[in-house]
Amino acid sequence: MLNRIPIQEISTLAILIPLILAGWRLKTGDLKLCLFFAFLLFGALVDGLGWFLYLNGYSFYIHAFFQFLYLWFEAIFFVWLAFEFLSFENNKFWKSLILFALNLLFVCDGFIRFILDHAGGNLRGFIYALMLVISSFLIAFALLRIAESREDIMQYPWFWILSGIFFYCFGSFFIDMLSYTDFGSQLWGFRNVVNILQYGFFVVGLVRMGKF
């Protein structure tokens, strides 16, 4: 049933809805929202570049480079955003340590793949899996913090946006882990479903932002 639906195309186009809404809300001047808009815009441009190269038969090397930069930005943004809602002892230390470690891993991966011209598939998979796990835990703690500090949690825009990110990180990691099994290889298409549902959470949050 899923194979009959152009799910990948829908996933690519679905990002435009939260992107437009986030752009409309930029007048608030909130740094979190500005970076969230940049995150969506970067993702839309990278997806668009991939389709352009695919339809015109060009090499995907350029797309691989920009996709690498996007994944790097995504990892840093998710961690930074989570810590914006966290408050505990040595908060700045742990934030700096995690960001430094992620940056170091991405620099190593980029050097191996683009300077030494080696695929580095195992390292790339490890880095992305690590990013998803770290982001899932941090976003989950941020959501708990929001739940503890606010009574209007269902009306709070960032609760929905963070929920979308958590759903994406946890769902993607779960699918990635299963992809190494015979059963899991059939679930790869559900990554696009996870993407679409994530954008749904984003839309709810951005709509709430206009009423908050």
Side-chain angles (χ1 to χ4, degrees), residues 104-113 119-129:
L104 184 61
L105 286 171
F106 273 97
V107 167
C108 292
D109 185 31
F111 181 78
I112 292 172
R113 291 202 287 141
N122 291 334
L123 180 59
R124 180 185 180 188
F126 168 75
I127 292 174
Y128 195 63

Side-chain angles (χ1 to χ4, degrees), residues 60-78:
F60 271 84
Y61 184 82
I62 297 176
H63 181 255
F65 176 73
F66 282 102
Q67 187 179 49
F68 168 78
L69 292 179
Y70 169 70
L71 293 177
W72 191 347
F73 179 78
E74 178 186 70
I76 301 306
F77 173 65
F78 285 176

Side-chain angles (χ1 to χ4, degrees), residues 30-141:
D30 180 65
L31 178 59
K32 295 192 299 293
L33 182 59
C34 290
L35 291 177
F36 180 63
F37 173 78
F39 159 69
L40 293 174
L41 180 60
F42 201 171
L45 291 175
V46 171
D47 275 352
L49 176 63
W51 279 106
F52 174 79
L53 295 174
Y54 171 75
L55 293 174
N56 290 277
Y58 291 113
S59 170
F60 271 84
Y61 184 82
I62 297 176
H63 181 255
F65 176 73
F66 282 102
Q67 187 179 49
F68 168 78
L69 292 179
Y70 169 70
L71 293 177
W72 191 347
F73 179 78
E74 178 186 70
I76 301 306
F77 173 65
F78 285 176
V79 171
W80 177 86
L81 183 63
F83 272 98
E84 286 295 294
F85 297 91
L86 294 174
S87 179
F88 53 84
E89 189 177 355
N90 296 323
N91 184 301
K92 292 183 178 180
F93 168 77
W94 286 108
K95 177 182 176 181
S96 299
L97 180 62
I98 293 173
L99 289 176
F100 174 78
L102 284 176
N103 276 307
L104 184 61
L105 286 171
F106 273 97
V107 167
C108 292
D109 185 31
F111 181 78
I112 292 172
R113 291 202 287 141
F114 299 109
I115 304 300
L116 300 181
D117 197 23
H118 189 279
N122 291 334
L123 180 59
R124 180 185 180 188
F126 168 75
I127 292 174
Y128 195 63
L130 183 63
M131 184 275 287
L132 291 173
V133 170
I134 292 174
S135 297
S136 295
F137 275 105
L138 290 176
I139 295 294
F141 284 127

